[in-house]
Amino acid sequence: MNNLLALPVVLPLLGSLLALVWPRRADWAGLGASVAAFVAAGHIGAEVMRNATLELAVGGWAPGLGIALRADGLSASLLLMSTLVALAAGLYATTYFAEAQKRADFWPLWLLMITALHALLLSGDLFNIYVTLELLGLAAVALAALGGSRAALQAAVRYLTVGLLGSLAFLTGVGLIYAGYGTLDMVMLAGRVDAEPATWVALALMTAGLLIKSALFPMHFWLPSAHANAPAPVSAALSALVVKAAFYLVLRLWLDVFDVALSQASAGLLGLLGASAVIWGSWQAYRAERLKLLAAYSTVAQIGYLFLFIPVLLATEPGEARDLLFGALVLFALTHGFSKSAFFLGAGVILHRAGHDRIAELGGTARALPVTTFVLALAGIALIGLPPSGTFLAKWQLMTSAIAAGQWLWIPVIAIGTLLAGAYVFRVLGHAFGPGEGVGPSLAWARAELPALLLALVATAVLGLGAAQVWTMVVPGSNAEGVSL
Amino acid sequence: MNEIALSLVLLSPFVAIAVLLATSTRWCLVLATAPVLAAALMVPVGSTLELGWLLLGVHFTLDATGQLFLVFSSLVWLVAGIYAAASPADPRARQGFELLFLLTLAGNLILILAADMVTFYVGFALMGLAGYGMVIGRRSQRARRAGHIYIAFTLVGELALFSALLILVAAADSRLFADLSGITLPPVAVGLLLLGFGIKVALPGLHLWLPSAYTAAPIVAVAVLSGPMMKAGLLGWLRFLPAEADGLMEWGPVLMLLGAAGLVLGVWLGLVQREPRAVLAYSSIAKMGLITALFGGALKSPAEAAPVAAALVLFAMHHLLVKSALFLGVGEWEKRGRARWVMAGLGLLALTMIGAPLTGGALVKQGLGTAIAGDFGVLSALLTLSAIGTALLMARFMWLLTRKVVRPTLTDSIPAAAWLVLLPVAFLGPFTPFVITLEVAGMLPLGVFLLGLAGMSWLNARWPGLWARGRSGDALTALNRVLQHARRRLPTPQIQYGRLQVALIRPETLPAPQGTLAGPGLLWLALFLGLLAATLLPH
Amino acid sequence: MSLSNSLPLLILLSSLLPGLAIFLLREESFRLRTALNLFGASVKLILVGVMIWGVFHEQVYETRWTLAPGLDLVLHADALSVLFVSLSTLLWLVTTVYAIGYLEDSPHRSRFFGFFSLCVTATVGLALAGNLFTFVVFYEFLTLATYPLVAHKGTPEAIRGARIYLAYTLAGGMALLIGAVWLRTLAGPLDFVQGGILGGMDHLDPWTLRWIFLLLIVGLGVKAALVPLHGWLPQAMVAPAPVSALLHAVAVVKAGAFGIVRVVYDVYGVEFAASLGVLALLGAAAAVTIIYGSVKALSQDNLKKRLAYSTVSQVSYIALGTAILGPLATVGGMVHLVHQGVMKITLFFAAGNYAEALGVHRVSEMDGVGRRMPGTTLAFTIGALGMIGIPPVAGFVSKWYLGLGAAESGAALWVLPVLVGSSLLNAAYFLPILYRAWFGQPPAKWPGGHTHAGRWEINQALLWPPLLTAGLALAAGLFAAAPYSPLEWARLIAEREYSL
């Protein structure tokens, strides 16, 4: 049964190859693989809910020797998000890229990226993780360049350079760890790690590399141009998934593997960087003139929130309180994934229709593209963190834990960040509700708008009202109940 | 059965309103008032009606005092109703006059029958506010000004009453008048009551609304304003300040002082008026001053309060009838000029007003004199003073009527007939119609009256125009003039706050206050709040 | 799935589902939209009727949904929530009818009615919220649902008004959120319990609780338009008339006031709050707001702006009633929640009618409107008299209980002058309007508006709602002591709150 774990990796890879060799049917191959991966991820999620952790030693080798695949609540939930976002964005891409050639270029790369991402999420071994990270970065760069414009190419090159730098730092760290402890399997490492200088150096190198890849302030400089200039479905995946992958690794390393080697001060530093990212990213998003740039800066800010969780998490005693907060963290990451991808897809529709995405000229959007405007609004609600979105619950829990841990500094940061988010989201909506003909005549575009709507609804309604399930999945043994009707 | 009769009394104005809205016939005014008078005469004293579901729970009862008020008030309302219904309508005043007349009537009836404070207040407020529509009936510039002043004073009075009520109800833990006797009335509440009802009975200083309203309003409105509505203030005092309640003795002298001041002021200012209506207005102020002083006397000596209060009510009822009749007569005079029968009728009313022998006026005054014969030295003096003052005022009134030439305009017979019906009732006073008293005391005011008339004629012959030079303006006009003068003289502050101003005050802040209510309204608000604060401070 | 644990949810769904369905409708499907709207409103009315009966007979209705471990979305019906729910349900129905008439042939009606239903859903959710967390959820939801309504016209002023509205309410929501989270960490699940929950917790630091109270009140005060947090309200009057009516009478402003009531009575507990001294703060804020709003209203020529400032003033009566310790003041505050709603909605309906039929937007243009539109003006008159507090209109009953509560608790020293001053000011800004309307000389030509041919002064869908609500305002005062009246219900709440 645990062979299930291989499916989310194998299926997209298969799809990628099919699309490559049979470009005419690339759409079918891609969508088929996406659906299959989603179904597999769903099964994995259900299994994890039941059994807490799944493990698969590929080829029967014991952990430490062969390739080990592992899925716990964290990875399973991210996997589920990833497959769903990929499916929706893929569906969107089939209509977004009008020319068949573009789609034939798109699908193999896209599925390769998904493969890498899933492999990364399921890997239990640092070296495999490095490989998947590298693969993920390269596929992402190629996709980002798919827009073909000069700006897109420049941004992609910068993205590539930065990504390589990050991977290199990570690899160095991995090497040091292997030298020190003789294993790269994370479970085994966790048992052996000591608080000593070599570990600190290795951890610092790995973390630094990951921070670049996750675009934490002030290493975010590459992100806005790369995300804003990529084609809409790619932007969605970059912001929602790729960045999240790096953060996932930080979380794994800090919480599961190296927790003994950590000090509160280092976590505090991450928190401070996160806080700066929240403020700076939100402010820049508020000032952005283009919709996609706004969304990209919003990602910078949201990543900041994720890092805010870390110092609070480490300051919270293990146990129920910490589990609660950890669930909130996952919920936040998921909600942001869905909402940001929905936002980018919506922005893509507008860009496609109007030929531009200048916010000040969005007048009349609400009339011409009601569904897209609704998508932007729903996604915006989740970005701000208003109920009923999952972000709201996550922020509530984060603030609760911060107060309980006495870390008062984060409260005003969250407050200001939320208000700024409100300002930038409603700046867009205000223009969209305003008068004007900026986006042309009213025309429904169901194949593009519906996937976006689906993602937005998941972020705002499903994850909000069904948030208890996230805790069930992430926290083994948590007894959150469903509806007591 | 009695409950039905009481509900009939209370409902009839509203039934009439329904008829008015359905048919717009003006005779609904009579429809509303006739059953009330009939019921008032037939319903036995002691009837009660409780409607627990209405408002905050409503209690009505008809006691002896209430019955007197009800009978006399409804008589005046009936005559006024006939008068108004039969008078040709002023096209400008047409709309709504009847409706407001009926609402005012309803308010008056409710307050007379009310057995609890809230119900009284509801009636009082309804009467006072609806009265506004009657005051501005003619829509002239003058009537509007009078209306604005009236409404400002009425509102202040009502809110004072409202506040007093709250304090009283909280203190008594009951809304019934009956429960007020046993408790100590908080001084704040008493002060507020003085203010609230003082406006209605036109205590000196609180009378400013009265002259303008009496001179500018349609005559029917003035008739009910000066009769039933004004006496509602007295009823208020009787109801809210029962002599048996504790802590009221100290208020007796206050009321006596205020009343005496009102008496002097009314006579003094009345004598210099040059409009008959204005003279009657100040005469009302003087008379209510006397009534206030007598009521104060009753409060001062609770032991002898009951007979004084009884005599006082009769006195007030007589004044209610006569003053209303006088005003309706003035209405006839304004329409017909110095027709002989009009002048005769008014003369008779003036005689009963001053308490000349053989009149109802003499009778009630005698009753009053007997009641205060005990140790009420000051009051006896005031009574005499009032008799002389009223005689002079009536002389002035009659003299003005004879002097002024009015071109006859309208000659309807029904209003005149209604007035003529009221006339003998008012003259004799309906109390003991067949008792004829020939009393020396009554000769004094008669003498003063005749002497006054002669003196005025003589003075006028000697210095023509002297007596005609009096002005019908009032203190409010003077105050306004002073204020306007001051406003012109004082520099307007011009302070540049710069950016602070921009930040704190939005540009649209406070243009010239809207509506003509603002002047008197704000002045009174300040005054009233100051008073309230001052009375509350010692606590 | 019995009635007792599904009824609150059903009440919520009865407006949520039609609202969502309406979004999907085409602009032209007028009949279907109207049918959906009225169907939802009627179903809700019936369900609320059942709930009123049940709560009166001490039935328990509760829907509980765990959102996250330890965070439950609780919908719970108690006497207080039923008061607010029935108000919003009834007025929603009336306003829907009005809005159907008002927006005839205007664009974006599906969007409008969709958000309209969401707005009511949020309000009902607020009313039924069984703990502070749920309250916060619906409080924010309300902000979101009303924003498109304020911006509905799409003009630059409308967008600007909506932006200001949003800036205020989001900031307020943040303060409320922080306060709620803080309190949650200290005191556990904040279920609303009659009599409060904090009074029994001796381990809590009083100063912390005071700070939290301040945060909560600031958050709620934004919507309740307490000075100086009221700035959005006069700006938001750019919205269409039915929205203003709903905003001022039922939804937003009332939500803030209702929240204050909840926090004081069912979280802190009124006696405990008084012992902390925070009620004085609330009372002072309410008193200042009452007077300030009235003074500002005096100088407004724009009718809706004048009404908006009047709302600022009137809603604080509720806060005032809450701030005075004692059951009678509680009754006054609670009952004003309903009375103000009914009266103010009447006034806004009437203002909308003047604008719609005659193009009259300013007080200075209102000369003689009473002759042209007697029905509307009659309704306006009743509403205005009620606002002043003239018996027998409902406002009198509120003022009576507030004043009586003040006198009883010894707060008369400052409450009575506030009440009296506000009544005088109300008279000073309402009576000139009435004077103009009834006694003024109508102009030869009205400023504009749509001419309406027919025997009624205006489209019947616009005429009957104000008349109905005016009738309700009158009835609520006239039959205040009758069973099931708002007053009796407020008494019931006070009894349960003070466990008399």
Side-chain angles (χ1 to χ4, degrees), chain C residues 48-72:
Chain C
V48 169
V50 173
M51 186 178 261
I52 291 177
W53 181 88
V55 168
F56 190 74
H57 293 91
E58 312 227 338
Q59 298 268 333
V60 177
Y61 296 111
E62 186 172 278
T63 305
R64 193 174 275 272
W65 177 312
T66 304
L67 279 185
L71 276 185
D72 288 357

PDB file of all heavy atoms in Angstrom, chain C residues 48-72:
ATOM      1  N   VAL C  48     -37.404  32.690  12.510  1.00  0.00           N
ATOM      2  CA  VAL C  48     -37.173  33.550  13.671  1.00  0.00           C
ATOM      3  C   VAL C  48     -38.379  33.540  14.589  1.00  0.00           C
ATOM      4  O   VAL C  48     -38.245  33.572  15.822  1.00  0.00           O
ATOM      5  CB  VAL C  48     -36.813  34.980  13.205  1.00  0.00           C
ATOM      6  CG1 VAL C  48     -36.831  35.947  14.370  1.00  0.00           C
ATOM      7  CG2 VAL C  48     -35.457  34.976  12.545  1.00  0.00           C
ATOM      8  N   GLY C  49     -39.548  33.465  13.971  1.00  0.00           N
ATOM      9  CA  GLY C  49     -40.753  33.368  14.792  1.00  0.00           C
ATOM     10  C   GLY C  49     -40.698  32.145  15.702  1.00  0.00           C
ATOM     11  O   GLY C  49     -40.974  32.227  16.900  1.00  0.00           O
ATOM     12  N   VAL C  50     -40.302  31.033  15.126  1.00  0.00           N
ATOM     13  CA  VAL C  50     -40.156  29.807  15.923  1.00  0.00           C
ATOM     14  C   VAL C  50     -39.148  30.041  17.044  1.00  0.00           C
ATOM     15  O   VAL C  50     -39.364  29.666  18.203  1.00  0.00           O
ATOM     16  CB  VAL C  50     -39.696  28.648  15.015  1.00  0.00           C
ATOM     17  CG1 VAL C  50     -39.374  27.423  15.856  1.00  0.00           C
ATOM     18  CG2 VAL C  50     -40.765  28.330  13.985  1.00  0.00           C
ATOM     19  N   MET C  51     -38.074  30.710  16.684  1.00  0.00           N
ATOM     20  CA  MET C  51     -37.014  30.916  17.679  1.00  0.00           C
ATOM     21  C   MET C  51     -37.490  31.823  18.812  1.00  0.00           C
ATOM     22  O   MET C  51     -37.191  31.580  19.984  1.00  0.00           O
ATOM     23  CB  MET C  51     -35.795  31.512  16.997  1.00  0.00           C
ATOM     24  CG  MET C  51     -34.611  31.627  17.904  1.00  0.00           C
ATOM     25  SD  MET C  51     -33.202  32.294  17.028  1.00  0.00           S
ATOM     26  CE  MET C  51     -32.310  30.834  16.663  1.00  0.00           C
ATOM     27  N   ILE C  52     -38.226  32.846  18.460  1.00  0.00           N
ATOM     28  CA  ILE C  52     -38.743  33.742  19.500  1.00  0.00           C
ATOM     29  C   ILE C  52     -39.570  32.946  20.505  1.00  0.00           C
ATOM     30  O   ILE C  52     -39.382  33.043  21.714  1.00  0.00           O
ATOM     31  CB  ILE C  52     -39.611  34.856  18.874  1.00  0.00           C
ATOM     32  CG1 ILE C  52     -38.744  35.811  18.084  1.00  0.00           C
ATOM     33  CG2 ILE C  52     -40.381  35.604  19.947  1.00  0.00           C
ATOM     34  CD1 ILE C  52     -39.518  36.887  17.383  1.00  0.00           C
ATOM     35  N   TRP C  53     -40.461  32.143  19.946  1.00  0.00           N
ATOM     36  CA  TRP C  53     -41.310  31.347  20.827  1.00  0.00           C
ATOM     37  C   TRP C  53     -40.441  30.456  21.711  1.00  0.00           C
ATOM     38  O   TRP C  53     -40.641  30.363  22.921  1.00  0.00           O
ATOM     39  CB  TRP C  53     -42.269  30.516  19.969  1.00  0.00           C
ATOM     40  CG  TRP C  53     -43.193  29.691  20.793  1.00  0.00           C
ATOM     41  CD1 TRP C  53     -44.396  30.084  21.291  1.00  0.00           C
ATOM     42  CD2 TRP C  53     -42.976  28.366  21.254  1.00  0.00           C
ATOM     43  NE1 TRP C  53     -44.957  29.084  22.022  1.00  0.00           N
ATOM     44  CE2 TRP C  53     -44.103  28.012  22.025  1.00  0.00           C
ATOM     45  CE3 TRP C  53     -41.947  27.436  21.095  1.00  0.00           C
ATOM     46  CZ2 TRP C  53     -44.229  26.773  22.625  1.00  0.00           C
ATOM     47  CZ3 TRP C  53     -42.073  26.197  21.695  1.00  0.00           C
ATOM     48  CH2 TRP C  53     -43.206  25.876  22.449  1.00  0.00           C
ATOM     49  N   GLY C  54     -39.475  29.807  21.081  1.00  0.00           N
ATOM     50  CA  GLY C  54     -38.653  28.860  21.827  1.00  0.00           C
ATOM     51  C   GLY C  54     -37.839  29.524  22.917  1.00  0.00           C
ATOM     52  O   GLY C  54     -37.786  29.034  24.050  1.00  0.00           O
ATOM     53  N   VAL C  55     -37.203  30.631  22.567  1.00  0.00           N
ATOM     54  CA  VAL C  55     -36.352  31.281  23.563  1.00  0.00           C
ATOM     55  C   VAL C  55     -37.192  31.792  24.721  1.00  0.00           C
ATOM     56  O   VAL C  55     -36.787  31.729  25.882  1.00  0.00           O
ATOM     57  CB  VAL C  55     -35.547  32.419  22.907  1.00  0.00           C
ATOM     58  CG1 VAL C  55     -34.882  33.281  23.958  1.00  0.00           C
ATOM     59  CG2 VAL C  55     -34.515  31.830  21.975  1.00  0.00           C
ATOM     60  N   PHE C  56     -38.390  32.248  24.375  1.00  0.00           N
ATOM     61  CA  PHE C  56     -39.252  32.722  25.439  1.00  0.00           C
ATOM     62  C   PHE C  56     -39.575  31.591  26.402  1.00  0.00           C
ATOM     63  O   PHE C  56     -39.668  31.788  27.609  1.00  0.00           O
ATOM     64  CB  PHE C  56     -40.541  33.298  24.837  1.00  0.00           C
ATOM     65  CG  PHE C  56     -41.382  34.025  25.819  1.00  0.00           C
ATOM     66  CD1 PHE C  56     -41.000  35.280  26.258  1.00  0.00           C
ATOM     67  CD2 PHE C  56     -42.539  33.467  26.328  1.00  0.00           C
ATOM     68  CE1 PHE C  56     -41.759  35.959  27.177  1.00  0.00           C
ATOM     69  CE2 PHE C  56     -43.302  34.149  27.251  1.00  0.00           C
ATOM     70  CZ  PHE C  56     -42.906  35.400  27.673  1.00  0.00           C
ATOM     71  N   HIS C  57     -39.690  30.385  25.856  1.00  0.00           N
ATOM     72  CA  HIS C  57     -39.968  29.224  26.707  1.00  0.00           C
ATOM     73  C   HIS C  57     -38.700  28.495  27.089  1.00  0.00           C
ATOM     74  O   HIS C  57     -38.724  27.298  27.325  1.00  0.00           O
ATOM     75  CB  HIS C  57     -40.957  28.292  26.005  1.00  0.00           C
ATOM     76  CG  HIS C  57     -42.301  28.917  25.856  1.00  0.00           C
ATOM     77  ND1 HIS C  57     -42.676  29.652  24.761  1.00  0.00           N
ATOM     78  CD2 HIS C  57     -43.365  28.958  26.700  1.00  0.00           C
ATOM     79  CE1 HIS C  57     -43.896  30.095  24.921  1.00  0.00           C
ATOM     80  NE2 HIS C  57     -44.350  29.709  26.093  1.00  0.00           N
ATOM     81  N   GLU C  58     -37.597  29.215  27.066  1.00  0.00           N
ATOM     82  CA  GLU C  58     -36.323  28.702  27.566  1.00  0.00           C
ATOM     83  C   GLU C  58     -35.823  27.466  26.845  1.00  0.00           C
ATOM     84  O   GLU C  58     -35.169  26.604  27.426  1.00  0.00           O
ATOM     85  CB  GLU C  58     -36.411  28.438  29.077  1.00  0.00           C
ATOM     86  CG  GLU C  58     -37.024  29.616  29.817  1.00  0.00           C
ATOM     87  CD  GLU C  58     -36.248  30.009  31.061  1.00  0.00           C
ATOM     88  OE1 GLU C  58     -35.507  29.154  31.575  1.00  0.00           O
ATOM     89  OE2 GLU C  58     -36.351  31.169  31.478  1.00  0.00           O
ATOM     90  N   GLN C  59     -36.143  27.356  25.574  1.00  0.00           N
ATOM     91  CA  GLN C  59     -35.520  26.314  24.762  1.00  0.00           C
ATOM     92  C   GLN C  59     -34.085  26.730  24.453  1.00  0.00           C
ATOM     93  O   GLN C  59     -33.771  27.913  24.440  1.00  0.00           O
ATOM     94  CB  GLN C  59     -36.256  26.182  23.423  1.00  0.00           C
ATOM     95  CG  GLN C  59     -37.692  25.764  23.543  1.00  0.00           C
ATOM     96  CD  GLN C  59     -37.839  24.270  23.457  1.00  0.00           C
ATOM     97  OE1 GLN C  59     -37.008  23.613  22.848  1.00  0.00           O
ATOM     98  NE2 GLN C  59     -38.864  23.726  24.069  1.00  0.00           N
ATOM     99  N   VAL C  60     -33.245  25.739  24.213  1.00  0.00           N
ATOM    100  CA  VAL C  60     -31.851  26.051  23.863  1.00  0.00           C
ATOM    101  C   VAL C  60     -31.644  25.747  22.384  1.00  0.00           C
ATOM    102  O   VAL C  60     -31.963  24.651  21.917  1.00  0.00           O
ATOM    103  CB  VAL C  60     -30.887  25.208  24.710  1.00  0.00           C
ATOM    104  CG1 VAL C  60     -29.457  25.482  24.281  1.00  0.00           C
ATOM    105  CG2 VAL C  60     -31.071  25.531  26.170  1.00  0.00           C
ATOM    106  N   TYR C  61     -31.145  26.739  21.666  1.00  0.00           N
ATOM    107  CA  TYR C  61     -30.812  26.525  20.258  1.00  0.00           C
ATOM    108  C   TYR C  61     -29.326  26.800  20.093  1.00  0.00           C
ATOM    109  O   TYR C  61     -28.858  27.893  20.392  1.00  0.00           O
ATOM    110  CB  TYR C  61     -31.591  27.484  19.362  1.00  0.00           C
ATOM    111  CG  TYR C  61     -33.082  27.280  19.409  1.00  0.00           C
ATOM    112  CD1 TYR C  61     -33.908  28.230  19.990  1.00  0.00           C
ATOM    113  CD2 TYR C  61     -33.657  26.138  18.876  1.00  0.00           C
ATOM    114  CE1 TYR C  61     -35.266  28.044  20.047  1.00  0.00           C
ATOM    115  CE2 TYR C  61     -35.022  25.946  18.928  1.00  0.00           C
ATOM    116  CZ  TYR C  61     -35.820  26.894  19.512  1.00  0.00           C
ATOM    117  OH  TYR C  61     -37.166  26.710  19.563  1.00  0.00           O
ATOM    118  N   GLU C  62     -28.605  25.812  19.633  1.00  0.00           N
ATOM    119  CA  GLU C  62     -27.172  26.043  19.472  1.00  0.00           C
ATOM    120  C   GLU C  62     -26.620  25.191  18.333  1.00  0.00           C
ATOM    121  O   GLU C  62     -26.861  24.000  18.278  1.00  0.00           O
ATOM    122  CB  GLU C  62     -26.430  25.736  20.764  1.00  0.00           C
ATOM    123  CG  GLU C  62     -24.960  26.092  20.679  1.00  0.00           C
ATOM    124  CD  GLU C  62     -24.277  25.958  22.022  1.00  0.00           C
ATOM    125  OE1 GLU C  62     -24.388  26.898  22.824  1.00  0.00           O
ATOM    126  OE2 GLU C  62     -23.634  24.932  22.251  1.00  0.00           O
ATOM    127  N   THR C  63     -25.897  25.851  17.441  1.00  0.00           N
ATOM    128  CA  THR C  63     -25.159  25.130  16.418  1.00  0.00           C
ATOM    129  C   THR C  63     -23.678  25.356  16.696  1.00  0.00           C
ATOM    130  O   THR C  63     -23.255  26.492  16.909  1.00  0.00           O
ATOM    131  CB  THR C  63     -25.478  25.680  15.019  1.00  0.00           C
ATOM    132  OG1 THR C  63     -26.872  25.635  14.828  1.00  0.00           O
ATOM    133  CG2 THR C  63     -24.776  24.857  13.960  1.00  0.00           C
ATOM    134  N   ARG C  64     -22.924  24.267  16.706  1.00  0.00           N
ATOM    135  CA  ARG C  64     -21.515  24.417  17.044  1.00  0.00           C
ATOM    136  C   ARG C  64     -20.690  23.748  15.948  1.00  0.00           C
ATOM    137  O   ARG C  64     -21.009  22.647  15.517  1.00  0.00           O
ATOM    138  CB  ARG C  64     -21.257  23.748  18.399  1.00  0.00           C
ATOM    139  CG  ARG C  64     -19.936  24.080  19.029  1.00  0.00           C
ATOM    140  CD  ARG C  64     -19.881  23.464  20.414  1.00  0.00           C
ATOM    141  NE  ARG C  64     -20.508  24.317  21.411  1.00  0.00           N
ATOM    142  CZ  ARG C  64     -19.851  25.275  22.079  1.00  0.00           C
ATOM    143  NH1 ARG C  64     -18.587  25.464  21.851  1.00  0.00           N
ATOM    144  NH2 ARG C  64     -20.479  25.991  22.980  1.00  0.00           N
ATOM    145  N   TRP C  65     -19.687  24.393  15.492  1.00  0.00           N
ATOM    146  CA  TRP C  65     -18.842  23.869  14.418  1.00  0.00           C
ATOM    147  C   TRP C  65     -17.411  24.166  14.802  1.00  0.00           C
ATOM    148  O   TRP C  65     -17.043  25.316  14.989  1.00  0.00           O
ATOM    149  CB  TRP C  65     -19.220  24.550  13.101  1.00  0.00           C
ATOM    150  CG  TRP C  65     -18.385  24.156  11.935  1.00  0.00           C
ATOM    151  CD1 TRP C  65     -17.027  24.091  11.884  1.00  0.00           C
ATOM    152  CD2 TRP C  65     -18.847  23.792  10.635  1.00  0.00           C
ATOM    153  NE1 TRP C  65     -16.620  23.704  10.652  1.00  0.00           N
ATOM    154  CE2 TRP C  65     -17.720  23.502   9.853  1.00  0.00           C
ATOM    155  CE3 TRP C  65     -20.106  23.676  10.046  1.00  0.00           C
ATOM    156  CZ2 TRP C  65     -17.799  23.115   8.530  1.00  0.00           C
ATOM    157  CZ3 TRP C  65     -20.182  23.307   8.728  1.00  0.00           C
ATOM    158  CH2 TRP C  65     -19.047  23.016   7.977  1.00  0.00           C
ATOM    159  N   THR C  66     -16.605  23.123  14.919  1.00  0.00           N
ATOM    160  CA  THR C  66     -15.219  23.342  15.314  1.00  0.00           C
ATOM    161  C   THR C  66     -14.404  23.755  14.101  1.00  0.00           C
ATOM    162  O   THR C  66     -14.275  23.006  13.141  1.00  0.00           O
ATOM    163  CB  THR C  66     -14.637  22.065  15.914  1.00  0.00           C
ATOM    164  OG1 THR C  66     -15.465  21.679  16.992  1.00  0.00           O
ATOM    165  CG2 THR C  66     -13.233  22.312  16.410  1.00  0.00           C
ATOM    166  N   LEU C  67     -13.877  24.932  14.138  1.00  0.00           N
ATOM    167  CA  LEU C  67     -13.041  25.411  13.042  1.00  0.00           C
ATOM    168  C   LEU C  67     -11.612  24.953  13.230  1.00  0.00           C
ATOM    169  O   LEU C  67     -10.919  24.595  12.296  1.00  0.00           O
ATOM    170  CB  LEU C  67     -13.078  26.931  12.971  1.00  0.00           C
ATOM    171  CG  LEU C  67     -14.279  27.536  12.285  1.00  0.00           C
ATOM    172  CD1 LEU C  67     -14.105  29.025  12.185  1.00  0.00           C
ATOM    173  CD2 LEU C  67     -14.443  26.945  10.898  1.00  0.00           C
ATOM    174  N   ALA C  68     -11.156  25.053  14.437  1.00  0.00           N
ATOM    175  CA  ALA C  68      -9.816  24.618  14.764  1.00  0.00           C
ATOM    176  C   ALA C  68      -9.915  24.110  16.186  1.00  0.00           C
ATOM    177  O   ALA C  68     -10.861  24.457  16.895  1.00  0.00           O
ATOM    178  CB  ALA C  68      -8.851  25.794  14.672  1.00  0.00           C
ATOM    179  N   PRO C  69      -8.960  23.304  16.588  1.00  0.00           N
ATOM    180  CA  PRO C  69      -9.038  22.820  17.964  1.00  0.00           C
ATOM    181  C   PRO C  69      -9.170  23.988  18.930  1.00  0.00           C
ATOM    182  O   PRO C  69      -8.363  24.916  18.902  1.00  0.00           O
ATOM    183  CB  PRO C  69      -7.719  22.092  18.152  1.00  0.00           C
ATOM    184  CG  PRO C  69      -7.266  21.760  16.775  1.00  0.00           C
ATOM    185  CD  PRO C  69      -7.814  22.798  15.869  1.00  0.00           C
ATOM    186  N   GLY C  70     -10.174  23.965  19.727  1.00  0.00           N
ATOM    187  CA  GLY C  70     -10.363  25.033  20.703  1.00  0.00           C
ATOM    188  C   GLY C  70     -11.017  26.275  20.142  1.00  0.00           C
ATOM    189  O   GLY C  70     -11.271  27.220  20.874  1.00  0.00           O
ATOM    190  N   LEU C  71     -11.265  26.299  18.859  1.00  0.00           N
ATOM    191  CA  LEU C  71     -11.931  27.469  18.279  1.00  0.00           C
ATOM    192  C   LEU C  71     -13.233  27.003  17.646  1.00  0.00           C
ATOM    193  O   LEU C  71     -13.227  26.389  16.585  1.00  0.00           O
ATOM    194  CB  LEU C  71     -11.059  28.107  17.211  1.00  0.00           C
ATOM    195  CG  LEU C  71      -9.992  29.078  17.671  1.00  0.00           C
ATOM    196  CD1 LEU C  71      -9.305  29.692  16.478  1.00  0.00           C
ATOM    197  CD2 LEU C  71     -10.577  30.157  18.550  1.00  0.00           C
ATOM    198  N   ASP C  72     -14.326  27.280  18.327  1.00  0.00           N
ATOM    199  CA  ASP C  72     -15.609  26.836  17.816  1.00  0.00           C
ATOM    200  C   ASP C  72     -16.387  28.004  17.262  1.00  0.00           C
ATOM    201  O   ASP C  72     -16.414  29.080  17.849  1.00  0.00           O
ATOM    202  CB  ASP C  72     -16.433  26.184  18.939  1.00  0.00           C
ATOM    203  CG  ASP C  72     -15.865  24.840  19.306  1.00  0.00           C
ATOM    204  OD1 ASP C  72     -14.896  24.425  18.646  1.00  0.00           O
ATOM    205  OD2 ASP C  72     -16.372  24.224  20.259  1.00  0.00           O
TER     206      ASP C  72
END
